[in-house]
Amino acid sequence: MSQFYALMPDNTVKHIPLKEEIITEIKNLFINSGATFKPEGIEEDVFDGNIVSRNGENITYVHYDLPEDFARIPCNQADMSEYNINEDMPKSIFYYDDGKFYFQIFNKKNMLQRKMVLRFEYGNVFAKMNNSAFIVEDKIHALEEGKLYFQSYTVANQIFSLINFVTEATNAEIESFGELDGINVNTESIKHIANIKTRRLIKLLSNTDNISTFMRKASRTKTSLLNKYGVNAQINENKELVLPTNNVADLNRVLEFLNEDIFRGVITDRLYRSNSKKKDNH
């Protein structure tokens, strides 16, 4: 029986039925990807926001309690809903085998419903594929085997919320954050208004190149993205992103945006925070 599943945005799990002839192929794709993702003997480091995973050198992990629906795997599929490609948009697809869960990020790029896909037919002729389909990639983004392993916080955080595993930035780290190229911010004001979430977001952001990546975008693109995601921040005359420090909610909003913790629902176009179906009010 297939052990292929879809993880929904509310952390419920749906079974993905497979034809018997492709079960082994799908299973092996995930298992082989897992062996590449976490080679035997690789150094393991507890993730706290400070440790950065270096591909091929080490892998980070947290002790994560999987959502309650996972208790149904592998024996209680009869009580589980089936994935409906026309209605469901999972945040991850995964395969279970021998006590291990192999997770792969899933989003609208995996869907072929809205794309023109040409199918090869007899006689070297191509025709349009009219059936709905989705792509299964030959890699995984997280592995659970008693610990939740991942190479990238940003990617793994799209599967499960990991913010609570991040230690808080110290005042000294906030000062260092304020010195990053591309932003303009009063660090004394941040230290005064920051809450736990603020400090965790700063810790995460300081270990990425997200700010420089964002600031390299065209001026019109930056302004468009800020408006699209309801971010209350401006670009000044020095082409720096000015972080608001008179309101902690506005500040956290900018930090969430830079950490890529905000997304638009594919179907409703509503704004959500990653790993939850909590609607964003902006």
Side-chain angles (χ1 to χ4, degrees), residues 217-272:
K217 295 182 181 297
S219 178
R220 182 176 297 179
T221 301
K222 288 188 290 231
T223 301
S224 175
L225 287 171
L226 293 172
N227 291 334
K228 179 179 179 179
Y229 289 96
V231 178
N232 181 22
Q234 306 297 322
I235 308 295
N236 66 14
E237 64 276 7
N238 295 322
K239 299 182 179 180
E240 298 171 319
L241 180 66
V242 181
L243 274 61
T245 55
N246 59 337
N247 181 291
V248 70
D250 286 343
L251 174 59
N252 287 349
R253 176 74 176 187
V254 180
L255 297 173
E256 286 177 328
F257 168 75
L258 292 171
N259 270 305
E260 301 182 292
D261 282 345
I262 304 171
F263 72 95
R264 281 194 176 273
V266 175
I267 299 173
T268 64
D269 201 41
R270 292 173 181 158
L271 288 176
Y272 295 97

Side-chain angles (χ1 to χ4, degrees), residues 10-262:
D10 61 358
N11 282 334
T12 57
V13 174
K14 295 190 176 185
H15 183 238
I16 305 177
L18 296 175
K19 281 193 171 183
E20 192 69 30
E21 58 263 32
I22 68 165
I23 290 178
T24 299
E25 185 176 355
I26 293 292
K27 173 183 174 180
N28 288 340
L29 185 151
F30 278 88
I31 292 175
N32 293 337
S33 297
T36 302
F37 177 79
K38 181 177 173 286
E40 186 175 350
I42 193 171
E43 178 184 334
E44 300 180 13
D45 293 309
V46 178
F47 175 81
D48 61 4
N50 286 311
I51 297 293
V52 177
S53 180
R54 303 172 302 281
N55 190 31
E57 297 182 29
N58 71 324
I59 193 166
T60 50
Y61 71 87
V62 296
H63 294 281
Y64 188 87
D65 293 327
L66 293 173
E68 60 180 289
D69 257 18
F70 282 77
R72 301 181 179 185
I73 301 171
C75 300
N76 294 317
Q77 291 180 350
D79 298 329
M80 193 176 289
S81 299
E82 288 190 350
Y83 167 69
N84 184 328
I85 194 171
N86 295 312
E87 298 178 1
D88 297 324
M89 179 55 68
K91 58 181 178 178
S92 173
I93 54 176
F94 66 94
Y95 203 93
Y96 171 84
D97 180 69
D98 194 24
K100 300 180 182 180
F101 296 90
Y102 301 83
F103 294 95
Q104 186 178 118
I105 291 293
F106 193 98
N107 55 43
K108 64 181 180 180
K109 294 179 181 178
N110 294 79
M111 300 299 296
L112 298 179
Q113 291 168 303
R114 296 181 178 85
K115 299 179 175 70
M116 175 69 77
V117 180
L118 298 183
R119 172 172 56 85
F120 179 74
E121 292 191 342
Y122 180 78
N124 199 32
V125 175
F126 290 84
K128 179 181 177 182
M129 186 181 77
N130 294 312
N131 296 332
S132 296
F134 66 84
I135 297 169
V136 180
E137 299 185 85
D138 58 350
K139 61 182 176 181
I140 65 168
H141 300 103
L143 169 68
E144 204 284 334
E145 51 176 359
K147 303 172 186 175
L148 181 66
Y149 292 93
F150 51 93
Q151 293 281 2
S152 165
Y153 168 87
T154 301
V155 174
N157 194 53
Q158 296 175 50
I159 303 173
F160 298 114
S161 178
L162 303 176
I163 186 66
N164 290 336
F165 293 97
V166 180
T167 55
E168 300 167 36
T170 63
N171 284 345
E173 288 171 326
I174 289 176
E175 291 171 4
S176 296
F177 171 75
E179 296 173 0
L180 293 176
D181 291 338
I183 60 172
N184 183 300
V185 61
N186 185 324
T187 54
E188 291 302 315
S189 295
I190 287 186
K191 287 185 278 186
H192 178 69
I193 69 170
N195 55 25
I196 292 174
K197 182 177 182 179
T198 311
R199 290 178 178 268
R200 286 175 172 168
L201 289 169
I202 287 174
K203 170 80 81 171
L204 289 169
L205 195 53
S206 298
N207 287 318
T208 73
D209 59 0
N210 289 15
I211 291 175
S212 59
T213 300
F214 175 71
M215 296 309 295
R216 285 196 299 268
K217 295 182 181 297
S219 178
R220 182 176 297 179
T221 301
K222 288 188 290 231
T223 301
S224 175
L225 287 171
L226 293 172
N227 291 334
K228 179 179 179 179
Y229 289 96
V231 178
N232 181 22
Q234 306 297 322
I235 308 295
N236 66 14
E237 64 276 7
N238 295 322
K239 299 182 179 180
E240 298 171 319
L241 180 66
V242 181
L243 274 61
T245 55
N246 59 337
N247 181 291
V248 70
D250 286 343
L251 174 59
N252 287 349
R253 176 74 176 187
V254 180
L255 297 173
E256 286 177 328
F257 168 75
L258 292 171
N259 270 305
E260 301 182 292
D261 282 345
I262 304 171

